[in-house]
Amino acid sequence: MSELLLGVLAFIVRAITFALDVAVFISDTKRLSRWVTGSSTFAAVPAEAKIMTPAAKRALAEAEQRNHFLYLPRK
């Protein structure tokens, strides 16, 4: 019975150690990315989306029309 309790206790300690190792790895990865990029944020996202100009809308529609035919089965 005592071996079972020791085994369960060892499993719990190993699980906690693994969780802490994962947390430290994530923290170190974030620190490395800040050091490499020189930025504290991953990406700057604007609060509101910009409205597309008519020329951009036409270009997007043309690109979608062009690409639409690429995915159709060829005869």
Side-chain angles (χ1 to χ4, degrees):
M1 181 71 175
S2 64
E3 289 180 14
L4 177 65
L5 290 176
L6 287 176
V8 170
L9 182 63
F11 175 76
I12 291 172
V13 169
R14 286 180 182 166
I16 291 171
T17 304
F18 176 74
L20 291 175
D21 285 343
V22 169
V24 168
F25 175 76
I26 292 170
S27 175
D28 289 346
T29 304
K30 286 182 180 179
R31 188 178 308 131
L32 177 65
S33 67
R34 282 191 216 118
W35 179 75
V36 169
T37 62
S39 174
S40 62
T41 58
F42 287 110
V45 178
E48 301 212 6
K50 292 183 180 180
I51 298 173
M52 291 176 61
T53 63
K57 289 180 184 178
R58 281 193 306 274
L60 182 61
E62 289 174 5
E64 286 177 349
Q65 185 179 14
R66 236 184 356 261
N67 288 335
H68 174 71
F69 294 109
L70 292 176
Y71 301 111
L72 293 177
R74 295 186 181 176
K75 294 182 181 178

